[in-house]
Amino acid sequence: MTSRPAPCFVAAFLILWCAMGAFATSNGAWLANVPQRERERVNPYRDQPDALAAGRRIFLDHCAHCHGKDAEGTEKRPFLKSSRVQQEATDGDLHWLLVNGNRSQGMPSWVKLGDPQIWQVICSVKSLH
Amino acid sequence: MAKKVLTSFMRAAWARTVCAALLLVGMVLSSCLQCHAQEYPYFVTYSQEMEEPGNLDIEWFNAAGNPPGGNRFMGSDVEFEYGLKAWWTTEFYLDGQATQNDSTIFTGFRWENRFRPLAREHWINPVLYAEFEDISADKSLREIVGHDGRYDFLVPNGLAHMNKERELELKLILGSNLRGWNISENFIGEKNFAGDPWEFGYAFAASRPLQLAASAHECSFCAEKFQAGVEMYGGLGDTDGFGLRLTSQYLGPTVNWTAPNGMTVAFSPQFGLNGYSIPVLYRFSVSYEFQQFFSHFHRSGQ
């Protein structure tokens, strides 16, 4: 029996390609986009010295090249000791940002690190103020 | 006597490949003291993860096998993967292979681009993949489509090299992250510009780090440095005959280890599931990631 799945495959590919248009229009105001339940999430590693040390290692491995070793920011990447990150954003907000990224602004998703490492790096970032 | 000659040929081919890899490793380590990778241990399957913008990942992939009635082979490719944007990754591959009792040849190149259409993470995250390849006598087995099978590996390199394959390959990559697991599925469609029918294939993989939380102190062999999983892939026929009939299928465990200097090494024995497949493939890879690659040149020029 002969089947012809190729047109369907190409059509699906083109439809998904077009969805990129919607993505391209997304803005960088990530903090306003965080759902309330995400914002209220509690960091299970908060105030744990080991988590702070582990988070510092993760930060140096994955974040420092863009944000600077002391989170001082670089030419195109933000300073992480800002009041926005240190006071306005909750741990839950930062977790949401690290999971989802802010791709239109160049921030990738770090979901591949897994939840425990994401929370650990948040401990480190929040200790910088 | 003949066996001795064959063995020395294979040793020479392996020695050349290993020397090339060591050279690559030396170049990388001498120019980049801080290079880090966080890779899934997949050889055929693509996950939804993109390269971070500005990062260059160099990977050396190998597949070795012994098709019944044919000669042992090792297919290799060197891959240069660069993150252009957080939603756009481009890759360039150089392919080659060595076959016992035959020759060692350059088999061609591939150029691929991956696009992530959705801005946020979802239960299932799609990625669109488009690749142009210009190859012949390829044995790196980076994907299985159509009726690819062990009989393709019985053709001598001299003959197989004459059959140029210029192809467009499209993939729909779906990936999910759930409780530390990554689960990825690829649906592949490939079209040869010579007018052959569309060929189809699939790949599926799942993996998880052995430990999710990072240790407070640097360590080389702690569980967080290892990822283990399983990978399965195979052909799905073509437009003249879609399905599993006369296709090769493979399944195997896979594991990787990330060294403290950022080098990632992966290994997987993969087993043919039917008589159309090569009985066992041994895959291994080495990869490095240069973070913010071009900024190194920028800074050194100042």
Side-chain angles (χ1 to χ4, degrees), chain A residues 2-3 9 13 16-17 20 23 33 50 54 57 61 65-66 99-100 103 106 109-112 116-117 120, chain B residues 36 40 52-53 87 116-117 119-121 128-129 171-172 177 187 212 214-215 218 224 239 242 291-292:
Chain A
T2 301
S3 56
F9 189 88
F13 194 85
L16 282 166
W17 195 293
M20 288 173 62
F23 162 69
N33 295 331
D50 278 358
R57 285 204 309 109
D61 277 358
H65 268 80
C66 287
V99 165
N100 289 284
R103 293 189 175 88
S109 160
W110 290 98
V111 69
K112 65 183 176 184
Q117 290 194 27
Q120 286 174 322
Chain B
H36 300 278
Y40 296 121
E52 286 83 40
W87 49 271
R116 189 160 164 147
R120 293 182 193 165
E121 286 291 309
L128 308 177
Y129 173 110
K171 285 182 186 172
L172 174 62
N177 285 300
F187 302 94
L212 292 176
S215 309
E218 188 62 67
E224 77 197 61
T239 44
F242 187 76
Q291 295 196 354
Q292 302 305 300

Side-chain angles (χ1 to χ4, degrees), chain B residues 2 64 73:
Chain B
F73 69 87

Side-chain angles (χ1 to χ4, degrees), chain A residues 18-27 104-105, chain B residues 87 116-117 119:
Chain A
C18 292
M20 288 173 62
F23 162 69
T25 59
S26 61
N27 63 40
S104 61
Q105 303 297 311
Chain B
W87 49 271
R116 189 160 164 147

Side-chain angles (χ1 to χ4, degrees), chain B residues 5-19:
Chain B
V5 172
L6 294 183
T7 309
S8 65
F9 167 78
M10 281 303 282
R11 278 187 186 153
W14 275 80
R16 277 196 295 272
T17 313
V18 169
C19 285

